Amino acid sequence: MEKVKIGVLKCGNIGTAPLFEFLLDELADRKDIIVRCVATGSKMVAEDVKDALSSILKFDPNLLIFISPNPAVQGPAKAREILLKNKIPIMIISDATGKRLKEEFEKLGIGYIIVMGDPLIGARREFLDPTEMAIFNSDIIKVLAITGVYKIIFQEIDRLIHGYKADLNPKLPTLIIDADNIRDQSDFKNPYAKAKAMAAYEMLKSVDKINNRACFTEKVKEKYISLVACAHEIARMAARLAEEAREIEKREDTLVRRPHSKKGKPKIKDKLMLSPTLDEKTYQKWLMTTKKETTTRD
Amino acid sequence: MEKVKIGVLKCGNIGTAPLFEFLLDELADRKDIIVRCVATGSKMVAEDVKDALSSILKFDPNLLIFISPNPAVQGPAKAREILLKNKIPIMIISDATGKRLKEEFEKLGIGYIIVMGDPLIGARREFLDPTEMAIFNSDIIKVLAITGVYKIIFQEIDRLIHGYKADLNPKLPTLIIDADNIRDQSDFKNPYAKAKAMAAYEMLKSVDKINNRACFTEKVKEKYISLVACAHEIARMAARLAEEAREIEKREDTLVRRPHSKKGKPKIKDKLMLSPTLDEKTYQKWLMTTKKETTTRD
Amino acid sequence: MEKVKIGVLKCGNIGTAPLFEFLLDELADRKDIIVRCVATGSKMVAEDVKDALSSILKFDPNLLIFISPNPAVQGPAKAREILLKNKIPIMIISDATGKRLKEEFEKLGIGYIIVMGDPLIGARREFLDPTEMAIFNSDIIKVLAITGVYKIIFQEIDRLIHGYKADLNPKLPTLIIDADNIRDQSDFKNPYAKAKAMAAYEMLKSVDKINNRACFTEKVKEKYISLVACAHEIARMAARLAEEAREIEKREDTLVRRPHSKKGKPKIKDKLMLSPTLDEKTYQKWLMTTKKETTTRD
Amino acid sequence: MEKVKIGVLKCGNIGTAPLFEFLLDELADRKDIIVRCVATGSKMVAEDVKDALSSILKFDPNLLIFISPNPAVQGPAKAREILLKNKIPIMIISDATGKRLKEEFEKLGIGYIIVMGDPLIGARREFLDPTEMAIFNSDIIKVLAITGVYKIIFQEIDRLIHGYKADLNPKLPTLIIDADNIRDQSDFKNPYAKAKAMAAYEMLKSVDKINNRACFTEKVKEKYISLVACAHEIARMAARLAEEAREIEKREDTLVRRPHSKKGKPKIKDKLMLSPTLDEKTYQKWLMTTKKETTTRD
Amino acid sequence: MEKVKIGVLKCGNIGTAPLFEFLLDELADRKDIIVRCVATGSKMVAEDVKDALSSILKFDPNLLIFISPNPAVQGPAKAREILLKNKIPIMIISDATGKRLKEEFEKLGIGYIIVMGDPLIGARREFLDPTEMAIFNSDIIKVLAITGVYKIIFQEIDRLIHGYKADLNPKLPTLIIDADNIRDQSDFKNPYAKAKAMAAYEMLKSVDKINNRACFTEKVKEKYISLVACAHEIARMAARLAEEAREIEKREDTLVRRPHSKKGKPKIKDKLMLSPTLDEKTYQKWLMTTKKETTTRD
Amino acid sequence: MEKVKIGVLKCGNIGTAPLFEFLLDELADRKDIIVRCVATGSKMVAEDVKDALSSILKFDPNLLIFISPNPAVQGPAKAREILLKNKIPIMIISDATGKRLKEEFEKLGIGYIIVMGDPLIGARREFLDPTEMAIFNSDIIKVLAITGVYKIIFQEIDRLIHGYKADLNPKLPTLIIDADNIRDQSDFKNPYAKAKAMAAYEMLKSVDKINNRACFTEKVKEKYISLVACAHEIARMAARLAEEAREIEKREDTLVRRPHSKKGKPKIKDKLMLSPTLDEKTYQKWLMTTKKETTTRD
């Protein structure tokens, strides 16, 4: 396969959704993939999702990525139902609510990446307007980017892409991203920077908990307004702490960057003034794993 | 018309794109619109755009919003060509590069919103990887949200939606958003907060200028790396200054919030602990203007 | 009773302990109380506690306040056992671990204040040295002070003191302090300041959770060091956010201050340059409640 | 001697008092000491002190540490008088006011540690309430911890403890801690971090000076309120600057940590992810010095 | 007199010197004064000063302002000697070192403004280079501007100017500016902003003390480098705290501005968007005082 | 020539003016130069300039440095006219407005240093008062110092001085300082610190552009007040970002310092605790270049 077609279906919003497709091709010059996204906006109604799904299926993707919060609700459930009738490899990216579907996904052969620290927004009309919504997303994006969560995700997709390009049958991810993954998989060189990144991520988990209470449990206005306002303040501090972590790595000129090559291969660098080089190790590992998996699967 | 169908076509990325559809329905409970987005990812190749376009047209939208940087290049141009054959009202949201097409848009009856302070990213492989890309977008989103640029945009779309719902023929926007608009249209009560917001916006314009030089003029690695790194530092400071502006309004409890009602009507509030009320004035103005326009147009 | 003798027994450390006695007499000129503290340092061994207890009992206090983390362990349990043989009113101040003893306390007629956001320290030898311990306590103290947790506590004690002085039999507190109490009982005038304070408190709860995992669950050095470092970073950010909250009130000159009068009566003020006046309302309420309680008790 | 019994008598409050006992056993697992504290709260009345003293003497300590501000006033003076009748080694920890008693202490064979940068609080009823008191202490604790003042103090006590355990007769400290000690004895690797720490300490000295004027010289409300408010602002900035110093060391992963071993021996480490090792050098030096002293004393 | 000629002689540098002449005519359009400055750079050699003095005397000023640190040294002393032979009103602006000459100045009829918080720079070759010098001055300028010290100074000069213009004989200033003057004469509306400003000023006094020790007492490199580095850190924090004070006033839109009118009259305003109006009260007070003084003088 | 006489004529104010003479002799002990400045304050009237010029010419300088904004206006033009009649080497330091005179300067043999990032102040009476003027200058000074612009300037003057001392005929500078010079000539070791410095400088250019519009184009009060306020906010952020850059170098202890020796020779150092050493390389280069220039010129 020369060019891999990536279909993305988004319904509703989570922190990994808004910039997802750009994570795969940040320089807009990658020759080995074609990306198409269809989205239903903030709604997750079954009918809309169904319609959007039929639209993305017409694109005839080699991989279909389904991004939504709360995959247990009607819309996403409907989508899975339809998707399973197709032969396309499917993977789901979701938030903490998706964790309880883990086993179902596995049984159905659906890949998944569950981001435990991708919090619910403070969706109360007294508080959330489009501006507050955007600011909250800005903060979440910053934390997920800096902590390396986005990196873990795009590397998983890239692993699949390179598998498909080599006509292999790579194993779909079954990944639950928590603070441990930041500890083990992020690129921080300084251990305090890493601790700050983990802290930022843990703070997002706290945001999620508070917003869930504010959106679904508290009924009295005085209570839930305070709670959503409080949760968004934590998100703001998390973004700031994440930024502190990144600034440390700048200060040492040890900040790792991982641009894609034009051919989509993983490149890597640290010192700012140097050019990136091929991350051959990662690349070969991907192909290796894929091969082994392939053998065991067919 | 009971429900307005909004079709969004995104190709490439600008600061208004990632969260656009959520600006219209931040609480995910609006009953008067159906939103569908189709996107080509970071690429803007004519063929992709054409294909994505045909997909969004199948959605049969009442309004088609086309979001892309640099609308003069092949992909967006192709899109316009096709779109004009349809009878659907079209509007374009773009960055400063779109300004020179202003007259063409007007001649063709295409609405437009040009965001002068939505800057080019520092797209150099030595610098830009998915993580840096996301952080930059996070900063731009924060500035565009806080300065009220997003507000200006979603209000324009809402004006159209309410016109369509009243079976009127509202005038498409012809808007170039610069710092003056922040001065005149943002919701800041404190004049220093407003000055800070304007400053953040002007800083983004400076980011754009530097990144353009770094991406298109400088050929020597040592030069363009420094420039893109420098531009992203300015973006970071702009986000911080914008945040300062918002914090001032929090400190006075004068922060204006403008959530949508379930029926999509504009609501407004300031004091945090109060409930939003209908922004009847804005709403009537929209319908008024629309009626007048209607008369003069047909 | 003219002078109330307050006996304080501290074993181990929690965030309310180090400055507890100074909360009651911050200006060191209060004429209506005599305070004596006996402490066992960071240890909570039964034998030490027993010995310390006998020392504080010799002081013949009118009220005995027992402050310790984790009151279920041997030392504090022993203390309770001995104390119950005396007729002295006893109250316990403890952290979240104390919550499960709530009913036991109530059954035994022991008053209690459980501070849910008073977190466990990151007690791992690779991380915690005396300096880190002190810094952590500094951060916790700042949050507990600014959020008004200390205020809630010293007012409860003052209520008892004034009851005893009026020869009444005031009801011992049965209080679990969570973010809700900050919402309802803190003195913030600005709702965003209050939200920030609540956020700071919630962050401490997150610190507690992480440190518990790091101290009692994780066995691998690489894991628990990251966790305790991460938890202390959150504590640092919580202190900073709490400070933001207080700065807002300074900015409006609405910061409430509640010094004690020389006679121990509650005074209150806001504008910085004004003198405090008697908080007659609070004071009368204390005596009122006390009287009613008295009637119903005997 | 297997276990050394440390008796601590606190009357009034200074920045070294609230966490003093935890500095000796931060992990609460030290096997070689038993600590007992008796405190009179914020008051320093002779009678109270006398009574507290008798209580701590019953503990039969091997070393008695007396912590108070202003040791020249009646209460502490009384305490010294009584103590000198006992044979217990006595040392005093105090603030700048204690400096003038230096010679008296030496004559009487009392050890002392005078912390020149431990400032008087802004004790004016229009300003100081329990919350402000706690915040101020939080700031002072942060500065004294980060600058290494606490380290100097606990090492002196540890030196004595290890001397007693080896049945030697270690010389009591005669130490006046000023910015020079931070320069010479703190663990900063980065000279700018050290300069920042020294600056924070000097700022505390300035706080002391202003608060002394505000509390004892100025009689007009308008004057002394401004002064105490001004002094506490300096304390806040000092804490922030100290934090900057510590962050620098984190950024280099050169932060030195000095936990106690279970046997109370000094351990040391820098790199965060490494384990502490025995600080044999310091330890041997303590025993050495002690021996020499012993010889010359008896 | 229609135009007042202001001669300024600067030798050496203090914080009030670099921008002094611009304080009198910040908009460069004042019609009632002509300003001429002659300066000897950082040197204060008698010969240079003498020569510079003869140059400024040729300008035939109506008022001669002599700005220098340490007016007791040879150069400034020589200048005074020469100046006293002329009939021109003379005033001296200097730093804390000038205070001890106060009586001499008064005896000789020389006006003076002594700025107690204008600190000595850390003039040690291991530390001070032109860049550090400029940064330090930037910090001092910020503090002296924001705290209102510059305002006190330029108002004194303006008082003289308006006296001369009215052909009166205004009394030369005899002013020692300390933190009390900031309390009484600055324009802060918020008392915490004022306390922060006072704190910033007090911190500069601390800078002065430390730099004096570092430059004149300490002989060992290790000692004086630490001290000057420490002093400049305090100056940086003072500038930051002063900025905090100003930001508070911005936040309330209560920041007072005092531009000169074209005719040199004092104007005043607060709300940012309003125009300044004549500060008639101040202006009349100046003329009043001047008249009274005139009567009593001749 | 043993001592070089430097004459400085300042009319009006730019960011390089207020501290210019101290850049040459920051320690006030340089034996090889005599500096004299004459200044006309903020005014640039031809008559004043002429008079000031005659005063500085009496000093008989070996080099005359003329510092002013906007050298095309009447005053500076007059000055040049007169100066060219003398044989003294002349150089001009100016802001971006001076760039268009570049060729004229070269034709006339006048040296020049044009600082592109030295911005116009927000000179509108509703906004600019002496305090705001001073704060703005403080921010500009900080940026120009930290970014190394001042270093570039004083090294050029030092090059001339050492040429004159060696009785050579050094070439006058023809220098336009833009962000590129910061990239190539500043002393930053960390590339991110350098990028931040460049960003701060670019922000000043943006300040200049906005203030020019506010001062010369906008006529409506509501517009120009917002603009000048906005511009000064950017200046404040630029200063803060520059400070960030310097702090990075402190954190690595790589901050380069370049004090003058007593003989005026260039010294250099980085590690804070070390002594500076002669920068022989720079020094020899200066003499070398000068010699070559000399040969080719005469």
Side-chain angles (χ1 to χ4, degrees), chain A residues 12-13 18-19 21-23 25-31 33-43 48 51-52 55 58-59 123-135 137-139 141-142 145-146 150-151 154 221-222 225-226 229 233 236 239-240 243 246-247 250 255-262 267 269 272-276, chain B residues 12-13 18-19 21-23 25-31 33-43 48 51-52 55 58-59 123-135 137-139 141-142 145-146 150-151 154 221-222 225-226 229 233 236 239-240 243 246-247 250 255-262 267 269 272-276:
Chain A
N13 189 33
L19 299 171
E21 56 268 34
F22 310 115
L23 293 174
D25 190 10
E26 74 284 358
L27 288 153
D29 67 356
R30 192 166 167 181
K31 304 293 180 214
I33 57 168
I34 304 175
V35 172
R36 188 68 26 88
C37 309
V38 179
T40 63
S42 47
K43 298 270 195 26
D48 284 0
D51 185 56
S55 171
K58 279 196 192 108
F59 171 63
R124 285 293 193 172
R125 207 177 311 275
E126 290 86 355
F127 180 68
L128 197 74
D129 72 345
T131 302
E132 184 73 41
M133 179 279 300
I135 293 167
N137 273 282
S138 162
D139 285 334
I141 289 169
K142 189 161 271 180
I146 290 177
Y150 282 170
K151 189 208 73 161
F154 78 74
K221 196 179 68 168
E222 281 66 32
I225 297 180
S226 298
E233 291 292 337
R236 192 169 67 86
R240 199 178 289 183
E243 205 166 286
R246 190 166 177 89
E247 287 296 312
K250 286 190 193 170
L255 190 66
V256 172
R257 295 174 187 273
R258 298 180 172 277
H260 290 94
S261 82
K262 282 197 183 182
K267 304 198 102 179
K269 60 166 293 189
L272 175 63
M273 300 311 291
L274 297 184
S275 294
Chain B
N13 189 32
L19 299 172
E21 57 269 31
F22 309 115
L23 293 175
D25 190 9
E26 74 282 0
L27 288 153
D29 67 356
R30 192 167 168 182
K31 304 294 180 211
I33 57 168
I34 305 174
V35 172
R36 188 67 27 88
C37 311
V38 178
T40 62
S42 50
K43 297 270 195 27
D48 284 1
D51 185 56
S55 172
K58 277 195 195 111
F59 171 64
R124 287 294 195 171
R125 205 176 314 273
E126 289 87 355
F127 181 69
L128 197 74
D129 71 345
T131 303
E132 184 75 39
M133 179 280 301
I135 293 167
N137 273 282
S138 162
D139 285 333
I141 287 168
K142 189 161 269 180
I146 290 177
Y150 282 170
K151 190 208 73 163
F154 78 74
K221 195 179 69 170
E222 280 68 30
I225 297 180
S226 298
E233 290 292 338
R236 193 170 65 88
R240 198 178 292 184
E243 206 166 285
R246 190 167 176 89
E247 287 296 312
K250 284 190 196 167
L255 191 66
V256 173
R257 296 176 187 273
R258 298 179 172 278
H260 290 93
S261 81
K262 282 198 182 180
K267 302 198 104 180
K269 60 166 292 189
L272 176 62
M273 299 311 292
L274 298 184
S275 294

Side-chain angles (χ1 to χ4, degrees), chain B residues 85-99:
Chain B
K85 293 180 193 150
N86 289 273
K87 290 285 174 203
I88 309 160
I90 309 162
M91 62 170 286
I92 281 172
I93 300 179
S94 191
D95 60 12
T97 56
K99 197 181 173 184

Side-chain angles (χ1 to χ4, degrees), chain C residues 79-91:
Chain C
R80 282 196 301 283
E81 193 190 310
I82 300 170
L83 278 169
L84 287 167
K85 293 178 193 154
N86 288 272
K87 290 284 174 202
I88 310 160
I90 309 162
M91 62 173 284

